[in-house]
C-alpha cells in the first residue's frame, strides 16, 4: 500500500488563462483536479499559484514530486524557462524557486513535450518506438519520443516544428518570419481563414456566419468543426485545406525523423476524419520515396487537453526513478574501497 501512495505525483499545466493541476497515479489516472486563473502579471505571482495548488492537493494526498508543463522554451538542464509566449518568464529559474516553496523534487517541461510523453505512455502512441507528436492550437507544438527518450536538442528547444518555413514569403508569423507551418495548419489558421472568408461577404460563408449571429469575429474553431459535422460544404472545405497543410508538414517531418506513428492533438483534431483524412491523403502524396518505404500512421491524440498535466506528472515520477538508479550506481569511492578491503580480508 505504501508503495502505491509513494508513487503519486502532481502535474501542473500552466496555460495562458488557466493553471490546471492534478494528482496522477502511475497508470496515468487523474485522482483529483484543481484549477486557478493564471496570473500573468509577474513570475512571483505564478509561483505563488503553483505553490498554492500543490499545497491544496498535498493536504489530501501523499505525493512525491511535482511536474510543471508550460508553453515556452525550457533550457536543456530543465532549471529555467528561457522564454514563455504568454507569461512574464524570461530566463526564469522556475524549478529551484518552486522546489524551495514546495520542498519536493520538481521538474519543468515544455507543454508539447509533456503531452507527447503522456500519449506515448498512456495514449495513442503506446508501444511506438519512434513517435512524433504535433499539437495544433494557437500555434503548433511538437515533440519526438524515440525508444522512451525525449529528443530535446543541445539547448533544450527541439521540436519547434510550427516554425518550419512551408510557404516562402507566406503569411507573417509572430516569430518574425514568414510562411511558418503554424500559419497554415494550426487552430488559429483555420479561424483566420474562416473569418476572412466570412468578412469578404461571400454568399458561400452565409451558413457559417448565421451560426454566430452574423459577426465574422465570433467564428471559432469549434464553430467551424460543428458546421462541417452538420455538412456545411464551406466548413468541410476549410478543414480540408488545413488538413492538407498538416499532411505537407508531416511529410517533411517523416523525411527528417522517419517515425512509425504521428499523433495529432489539439482542438482541430476534434474534427476527426473531416480533418485527418485530407491530412493522410496529402501526406501519402508528399512523402519522399513514396511507394518504396513503409508509411507512418497518422493517429488522433487520445488524452485530450489533460495530456500535458498527465505527462508532466509522469515525467516527475520518471525523474525520481532515474535519480534513484543513478544514486545506486554512484556510491562514494570510500564505500567502494571499504567493500574491496572487506573482500580481501575474507581471503
Ligand atoms: Zn514562425
Amino acid at each position: 500500500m505504501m508503495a502505491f501512495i509513494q508513487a503519486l505525483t502532481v502535474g501542473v499545466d500552466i496555460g495562458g488563462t488557466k493553471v490546471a493541476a492534478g494528482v496522477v497515479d502511475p497508470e496515468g489516472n487523474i485522482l483529483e483536479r484543481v484549477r486557478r486563473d493564471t496570473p500573468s502579471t509577474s513570475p512571483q505571482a505564478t509561483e505563488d499559484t503553483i505553490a498554492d495548488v500543490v499545497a491544496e492537493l498535498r493536504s489530501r494526498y501523499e505525493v512525491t514530486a511535482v511536474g510543471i508543463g508550460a508553453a515556452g522554451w525550457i533550457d536543456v538542464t530543465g532549471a529555467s524557462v528561457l522564454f514563455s509566449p504568454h507569461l512574464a518568464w524570461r530566463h526564469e529559474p522556475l524549478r529551484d524557486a518552486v522546489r524551495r516553496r514546495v520542498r519536493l523534487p520538481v521538474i519543468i517541461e515544455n507543454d508539447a513535450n509533456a503531452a507527447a510523453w503522456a500519449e506515448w505512455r498512456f495514449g495513442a502512441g503506446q508501444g511506438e518506438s519512434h513517435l512524433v507528436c504535433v499539437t495544433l492550437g494557437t500555434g503548433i507544438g511538437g515533440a519526438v519520443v524515440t525508444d522512451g527518450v525525449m529528443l530535446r536538442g543541445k539547448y533544450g528547444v527541439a521540436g519547434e516544428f510550427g516554425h518550419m518555413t512551408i510557404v516562402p514569403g507566406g503569411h507573417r508569423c509572430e516569430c518574425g518570419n514568414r510562411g511558418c507551418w503554424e500559419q497554415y495548419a494550426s487552430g488559429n489558421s483555420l479561424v483566420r481563414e474562416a473569418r476572412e472568408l466570412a468578412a469578404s461577404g461571400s454568399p458561400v460563408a452565409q451558413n457559417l456566419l448565421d451560426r454566430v449571429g452574423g459577426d465574422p469575429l465570433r467564428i471559432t474553431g469549434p464553430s467551424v468543426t460543428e458546421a462541417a459535422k452538420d455538412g456545411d460544404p464551406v466548413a468541410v472545405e476549410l478543414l480540408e485545406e488545413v488538413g492538407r497543410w498538416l499532411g505537407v508538414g508531416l511529410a517533411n517531418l517523416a523525411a527528417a525523423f522517419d517515425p512509425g506513428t504521428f499523433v495529432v492533438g489539439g482542438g482541430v483534431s476534434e474534427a476527426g476524419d473531416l480533418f485527418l483524412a485530407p491530412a493522410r491523403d496529402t501526406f501519402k502524396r508528399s512523402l519522399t520515396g513514396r511507394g518504396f518505404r513503409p508509411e507512418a500512421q497518422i493517429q488522433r491524440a487520445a488524452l485530450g487537453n489533460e495530456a500535458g498535466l498527465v505527462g508532466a506528472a509522469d515525467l516527475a515520477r520518471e525523474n525520481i526513478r532515474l535519480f534513484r538508479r543513478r544514486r545506486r550506481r554512484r556510491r562514494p569511492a570510500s564505500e567502494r574501497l571499504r567493500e574491496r578491503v572487506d573482500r580481501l580480508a575474507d581471503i
Side-chain angles (χ1 to χ4, degrees):
M1 187 61 194
M2 199 57 198
F4 173 71
I5 291 170
Q6 281 184 345
L8 299 179
T9 52
V10 169
V12 186
D13 180 23
I14 319 275
T17 57
K18 292 273 177 230
V19 172
V23 176
V24 179
D25 76 11
E27 280 76 48
N29 303 303
I30 304 177
L31 306 184
E32 188 179 332
R33 302 162 169 80
V34 292
R35 270 169 165 269
R36 299 273 193 285
D37 288 333
T38 304
S40 52
T41 46
S42 74
Q44 179 74 37
T46 312
E47 281 165 35
D48 289 346
T49 306
I50 296 169
D52 187 44
V53 291
V54 172
E56 185 182 333
L57 292 168
R58 279 181 87 185
S59 69
R60 292 188 284 279
Y61 296 88
E62 185 95 18
V63 300
T64 53
V66 176
I68 300 168
W73 292 349
I74 316 296
D75 84 307
V76 75
T77 68
S80 305
V81 183
L82 300 175
F83 167 77
S84 181
H86 42 237
L87 290 163
W89 290 331
R90 303 288 182 266
H91 288 271
E92 188 62 29
L94 181 71
R95 184 184 63 192
D96 292 346
V98 174
R99 193 188 275 166
R100 278 194 296 274
R101 304 281 297 269
V102 303
R103 297 184 178 280
L104 283 174
V106 173
I107 60 123
I108 49 178
E109 185 60 82
N110 169 273
D111 57 350
N113 283 357
W117 184 262
E119 290 291 343
W120 177 69
R121 287 273 287 132
F122 312 112
Q126 268 185 84
E128 176 55 75
S129 59
H130 292 75
L131 178 69
V132 172
C133 286
V134 292
T135 309
L136 316 179
T138 321
I140 298 180
V144 179
V145 183
T146 301
D147 291 324
V149 176
M150 188 94 67
L151 181 83
R152 289 203 161 79
K154 176 154 184 179
Y155 305 108
V157 298
E160 291 291 333
F161 307 139
H163 299 287
M164 301 187 303
T165 303
I166 218 134
V167 180
H171 285 290
R172 180 67 85 180
C173 181
E174 284 161 27
C175 75
N177 295 336
R178 281 186 183 277
C180 294
W181 190 29
E182 68 178 37
Q183 293 303 319
Y184 296 85
S186 63
N188 264 24
S189 68
L190 174 71
V191 173
R192 183 197 63 221
E193 291 296 308
R195 288 179 180 175
E196 217 171 273
L197 183 64
S200 74
S202 167
V204 298
Q206 198 55 50
N207 179 30
L208 260 184
L209 261 178
D210 289 346
R211 288 170 168 266
V212 293
D215 179 2
L217 291 178
R218 288 179 58 196
I219 294 176
T220 60
S223 68
V224 178
T225 299
E226 205 179 287
K229 285 183 174 166
D230 291 345
D232 177 65
V234 166
V236 169
E237 207 177 283
L238 286 163
L239 278 168
E240 276 174 0
E241 195 182 343
V242 177
R244 282 197 297 272
W245 283 117
L246 177 69
V248 171
L250 293 183
N252 286 347
L253 292 176
F257 296 104
D258 188 23
T261 304
F262 286 102
V263 169
V264 180
V268 196
S269 66
E270 309 271 316
D273 278 348
L274 282 167
F275 171 64
L276 289 180
R280 290 188 185 108
D281 186 49
T282 310
F283 174 75
K284 280 180 200 298
R285 285 190 281 115
S286 316
L287 189 63
T288 180
R290 52 193 168 277
F292 299 98
R293 62 183 283 181
E295 284 171 16
Q297 303 177 56
I298 300 175
Q299 304 280 12
R300 186 173 153 189
L303 301 178
N305 56 14
E306 284 181 326
L309 188 164
V310 171
D314 197 66
L315 281 161
R317 182 180 300 108
E318 174 79 1
N319 193 51
I320 292 180
R321 198 177 62 78
L322 291 175
F323 177 75
R324 284 187 182 147
R325 193 194 290 171
R326 274 199 301 269
R327 201 168 51 176
R328 273 201 300 276
R329 276 194 203 140
R330 280 193 215 145
R331 286 170 306 137
S334 58
E335 199 179 301
R336 289 201 302 269
L337 182 66
R338 205 179 315 127
E339 202 173 277
R340 214 177 303 158
V341 171
D342 287 350
R343 230 180 295 143
L344 283 172
D346 285 345
I347 299 167

